[in-house]
Every structure is written in structure tokens, then in C-alpha cells.
């Protein structure tokens, strides 16, 4: 009689059975056959449930990190726009002395800030796309 290692015995016991279609009685038989081992027997459904839970927690963490970074970025952009307008105080006084209304000055600087925002966004998108195309082949072997 040939004695199989435990993993081979388990493999022989469930050979030909599709794990997705296995009922819990087979897993109970395996647990009873090997009661004092240091591992657990789980169905794919049970294994994916715990994995799904951890992925859900990780997903919530990433959402929190993303929202935090958006908040910090928004505060930074607000400070930069405020500094830009304060820096241009002489231009504002010049516009006002030439007869421009407060609304006209606000629209002028708002358009400038929006154009800078659009250019910055496009630059960031292009930089992100190029860096992804450059880095992905190197990281592809690790994923």
C-alpha cells in the first residue's frame, strides 16, 4: 500500500470534482479525515467572502485617501488663485482707474485662472498618460 502525502491524498479525494459545485459535506469529510492539521478547508465561496470583505475595506480606504487629496488640492488651488490675484493688485488698480467695473475685473481674472486651470489639467493628464505608458511595462512583470 502506497502512502500519499496529505496534499496528494486531498487532491486524490476531490479529483474530478468542480469546486464551485461542491457541497459542504465533502469539506466536512476532509476536516474529519485530517482533524489535527494546521490549515483550514474552505469552499471557494467562503474564501471569496473574506477576500471580498478585505477588498471592500481597502476600497473604502482608497476613497478616503482620494477625497482627502482632493480637499488638500482644492485648498492649495484656492491659495494659489488668491495669491495670484493679490500679486496682480497693481493691475486691478490700473483697470479700475481706466474705468473698469468690479465685475469686469473679476471676470477678467476669473477667465485667466480658468485658462490656467485648464492648461494645468491637460498637462497633468498628458503627464499621467505618458508616465503610465512608460512605467507599466516595467511593473507588468510584478502584477
Amino acid at each position: 500500500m502506497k502512502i500519499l502525502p496529505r496534499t496528494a491524498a486531498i487532491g486524490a479525494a476531490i479529483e474530478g470534482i468542480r469546486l464551485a459545485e461542491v457541497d459542504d459535506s465533502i469539506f466536512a469529510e476532509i476536516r474529519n479525515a485530517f482533524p489535527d492539521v494546521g490549515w483550514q478547508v474552505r469552499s471557494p465561496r467562503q474564501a471569496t467572502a473574506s477576500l471580498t470583505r478585505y477588498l471592500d475595506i481597502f476600497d473604502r480606504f482608497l476613497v478616503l485617501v482620494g477625497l482627502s487629496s482632493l480637499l488638500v488640492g482644492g485648498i492649495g488651488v484656492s491659495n494659489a488663485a488668491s495669491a495670484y490675484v493679490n500679486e496682480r493688485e497693481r493691475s486691478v488698480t490700473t483697470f479700475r482707474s481706466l474705468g473698469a467695473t468690479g465685475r469686469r475685473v473679476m471676470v477678467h481674472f476669473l477667465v485667466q485662472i480658468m485658462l490656467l486651470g485648464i492648461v494645468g489639467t491637460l498637462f497633468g493628464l498628458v503627464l499621467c498618460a505618458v508616465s503610465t505608458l512608460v512605467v507599466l511595462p516595467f511593473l507588468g512583470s510584478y502584477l
Side-chain angles (χ1 to χ4, degrees):
M1 176 178 189
K2 184 176 180 182
I3 298 176
L4 296 173
R6 287 185 181 200
T7 55
I10 293 171
I14 61 173
E15 185 176 324
I17 300 173
R18 301 180 91 179
L19 288 178
E21 299 171 358
V22 173
D23 61 355
D24 292 332
S25 64
I26 293 177
F27 292 110
E29 288 179 32
I30 294 172
R31 285 187 200 103
N32 291 336
F34 305 101
D36 296 327
V37 293
W39 38 264
Q40 297 176 352
V41 179
R42 290 191 251 168
S43 69
R45 187 174 44 250
Q46 292 169 333
T48 57
S50 63
L51 179 64
T52 302
R53 191 179 103 231
Y54 287 118
L55 287 177
D56 187 42
I57 291 170
F58 186 65
D59 183 41
R60 290 179 185 177
F61 172 73
L62 288 180
V63 166
L64 184 63
V65 168
L67 290 175
S68 300
S69 65
L70 281 174
L71 178 67
V72 170
I75 292 171
V77 168
S78 173
N79 286 338
S82 177
Y84 176 74
V85 170
N86 288 337
E87 211 174 84
R88 305 284 304 220
E89 190 174 349
R90 290 184 65 191
S91 299
V92 171
T93 56
T94 304
F95 284 152
R96 293 295 297 218
S97 67
L98 292 175
T101 62
R103 184 178 177 150
R104 174 70 179 140
V105 172
M106 183 185 73
V107 168
H108 174 76
F109 284 107
L110 187 62
V111 168
Q112 282 186 358
I113 291 171
M114 286 175 51
L115 286 175
L116 287 172
I118 290 171
V119 169
T121 301
L122 291 176
F123 179 72
L125 288 173
V126 168
L127 182 66
C128 181
V130 168
S131 65
T132 301
L133 292 175
V134 169
V135 172
L136 194 57
F138 296 116
L139 293 179
S141 62
Y142 295 110
L143 297 176

